[in-house]
């Protein structure tokens, strides 16, 4: 399917792009009320490192230290008509699930299913069935339902006293930024594009103002809101500025947002999960209605992601009373060609 999350239809002739809701919304909870109890080793998180929605789950899993509790499968950044492929694995099959395409887990859950195949997806290993592709809920449940399996020193990414404010910020970020770049990129009329474009930059300007004198979006620690904004910002200059025509200015030309993004990128659990090679190849080679030549740009220069940001001068405690995560688990490191430096 020709997009990052394969929800909605970027090839549609309607003027405005519409993102379809997640089809499978069962939850994995501590009490198992949906029939899926939290259980170490039972589930597999399937992601594309190209996808911003999946990258949220990768980051939160790292920050909370859930690597031993839920295993990780990384798909090829280029999917075909049969869905996301496990061609990065030996023999072209996921070594745990034994499947060649993520669509097989969807079909195991619902025989005859012919809808979109999206990531992130959590699959029940014993049955091979998809449990959920509800990307907004997956990370929140990692934070609130999987607490018994968090590492010692795991941060509280969704602190209860701040949840109303976090939700309010995340709603605006989703509407105008996370999804807004897609509304601009997949628009089928000049009017629809211009409307989305203006909303993207109006919101980015407001976020820049908000972050001018505070290190993080809500409170003085990293929260789920920062994770959700980061996954769009880290892709902005590499793909959204040119490919999606969000080109009023680059992220690197906004001193506040650029410093904020670098601060997070240099925080363990964020930048060490980013694969720029997967990001650039996916957007430029899969979205053939936007880029029919499938040429992947060589730029931008990624070395500046490691330059000093000086955001620590604003104070704040990245992990609150917790501690940073350790290095990426063996076998989960981003390959050298995907790293910023």
């Amino acid at each position: 399917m020709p997009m990052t999350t394969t929800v909605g239809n970027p090839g549609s002739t309607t003027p405005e792009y519409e993102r379809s809701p997640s089809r499978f919304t069962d939850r994995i909870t501590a009490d198992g009320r949906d029939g899926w109890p939290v259980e170490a080793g039972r589930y597999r998180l399937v992601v594309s490192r190209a996808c911003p929605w999946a990258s949220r789950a990768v980051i939160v899993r790292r920050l909370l230290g859930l690597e031993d509790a839920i295993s990780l499968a990384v798909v090829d950044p280029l999917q075909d008509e049969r869905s996301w492929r496990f061609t990065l694995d030996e023999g072209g099959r996921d070594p745990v699930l034994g499947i060649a395409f993520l669509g097989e887990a969807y079909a195991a859950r619902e025989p005859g299913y012919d809808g979109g195949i999206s990531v992130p997806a959590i699959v029940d290993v014993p049955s091979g069935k998809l449990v959920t592709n509800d990307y907004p809920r997956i990370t929140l449940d990692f934070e609130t339902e999987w607490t018994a399996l968090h590492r010692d020193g795991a941060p509280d990414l969704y602190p209860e006293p701040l949840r109303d404010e976090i939700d309010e910020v995340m709603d605006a970020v989703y509407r105008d930024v996370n999804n807004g770049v897609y509304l601009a990129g997949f628009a089928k009329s000049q009017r629809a594009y211009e409307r989305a474009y203006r909303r993207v930059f109006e919101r980015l300007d407001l976020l820049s103002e908000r972050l001018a004198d505070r290190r993080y979006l809500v409170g003085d620690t990293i929260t789920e809101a920062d994770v959700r904004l980061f996954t769009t910002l880290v892709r902005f200059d590499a793909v959204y500025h040119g490919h999606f025509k969000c080109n009023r200015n680059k992220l690197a030309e906004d001193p506040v947002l650029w410093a904020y993004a670098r601060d997070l990128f240099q925080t363990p659990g964020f930048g060490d999960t980013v694969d720029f090679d997967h990001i650039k190849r996916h957007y430029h080679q899969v979205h053939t209605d936007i880029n029919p030549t499938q040429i992947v740009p060589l730029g931008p220069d990624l070395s500046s992601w490691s330059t000093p940001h000086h955001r620590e001068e604003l104070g704040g405690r990245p992990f609150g009373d917790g501690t940073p995560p350790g290095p990426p688990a063996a076998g989960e490191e981003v390959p050298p060609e995907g790293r910023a430096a």
Side-chain angles (χ1 to χ4, degrees):
M1 299 291 287
M3 63 175 301
T4 302
T5 54
T6 64
V7 288
N9 181 10
S12 170
T13 58
T14 57
E16 293 191 0
Y17 167 70
E18 294 183 7
R19 183 173 298 280
S20 301
S22 300
R23 169 69 176 83
F24 300 96
T25 57
D26 286 1
R27 294 176 60 190
I28 301 170
T29 58
D31 63 8
R33 57 186 176 272
D34 281 3
W36 307 105
V38 170
E39 183 180 329
R42 176 171 175 176
Y43 306 101
R44 191 152 173 83
L45 174 64
V46 182
V47 302
S48 163
R49 291 195 186 274
C51 172
W53 321 99
S55 291
R56 297 176 179 181
V58 177
I59 292 169
V60 169
R61 173 179 173 270
R62 278 269 287 121
L63 296 179
L64 300 179
L66 290 172
E67 291 96 328
D68 292 336
I70 180 167
S71 62
L72 183 71
V74 178
V75 296
D76 192 301
L78 307 180
Q79 73 266 58
D80 64 20
E81 69 280 359
R82 295 166 294 181
S83 80
W84 296 99
R85 310 174 296 167
F86 293 100
T87 50
L88 302 180
D89 296 299
E90 186 176 353
R93 290 187 175 273
D94 180 79
V96 173
L97 300 173
I99 57 178
F101 300 93
L102 178 57
E104 295 175 56
Y106 279 69
R109 169 66 185 271
E110 184 176 301
Y113 176 72
D114 62 356
I117 309 298
S118 67
V119 288
I122 297 182
V123 179
D124 177 52
V125 175
S127 68
K129 294 179 179 179
L130 175 77
V131 177
T132 178
N133 67 345
D134 190 4
Y135 65 92
R137 192 70 245 176
I138 286 173
T139 49
L140 295 179
D141 282 344
F142 279 171
E143 293 153 4
T144 60
E145 298 289 337
W146 291 66
T147 53
L149 299 175
H150 288 182
R151 66 178 174 88
D152 291 339
D156 187 352
L157 299 175
Y158 196 48
E160 195 162 358
L162 298 177
R163 286 181 188 176
D164 287 345
E165 185 179 0
I166 291 171
D167 289 345
E168 181 180 1
V169 170
M170 292 194 304
D171 286 346
V173 167
Y174 169 79
R175 181 182 62 248
D176 299 333
V177 181
N178 299 148
N179 197 50
V181 293
Y182 284 85
L183 293 174
F186 291 139
K188 297 300 181 183
S189 74
Q190 188 70 29
R191 181 179 179 184
Y193 160 71
E194 291 181 5
R195 181 163 50 245
Y197 170 101
R198 292 190 181 98
R199 288 178 65 175
V200 167
F201 286 101
E202 286 170 2
R203 182 60 57 187
L204 289 177
D205 288 345
L206 290 172
L207 290 167
S208 185
E209 292 176 15
R210 182 184 184 96
L211 289 163
D213 59 359
R214 58 194 299 170
R215 192 170 180 185
Y216 304 111
L217 284 171
V218 181
D220 67 348
T221 65
I222 292 167
T223 68
E224 172 80 11
D226 297 294
V227 174
R228 296 191 181 193
L229 178 57
F230 173 79
T231 58
T232 296
L233 294 185
V234 80
R235 289 162 172 76
F236 201 88
D237 289 1
V239 288
Y240 300 144
H241 178 271
H243 186 61
F244 277 177
K245 306 179 184 69
C246 294
N247 59 356
R248 190 195 73 179
N249 58 268
K250 295 179 179 178
L251 176 68
E253 294 167 348
D254 183 307
V256 172
L257 290 181
W258 177 224
Y260 166 79
R262 296 198 326 276
D263 185 6
L264 291 176
F265 186 88
Q266 294 169 31
T267 299
F270 283 84
D272 54 26
T273 69
V274 176
D275 190 323
F276 284 107
D277 174 62
H278 279 206
I279 290 168
K280 290 168 60 177
R281 286 198 290 128
H282 172 84
Y283 281 88
H284 291 289
Q285 293 187 309
V286 172
H287 301 160
T288 53
D289 54 330
I290 298 176
N291 185 34
T293 65
Q294 298 181 287
I295 293 171
V296 180
L298 291 177
D301 178 10
L302 301 174
S303 62
S304 54
W305 278 100
S306 60
T307 58
H309 52 77
H310 306 296
R311 293 282 293 180
E312 67 277 359
E313 297 171 7
L314 296 174
R317 303 174 301 143
F319 299 99
D321 295 328
T323 57
E332 295 186 5
E333 305 93 340
V334 173
E337 63 270 20
R339 299 174 193 165

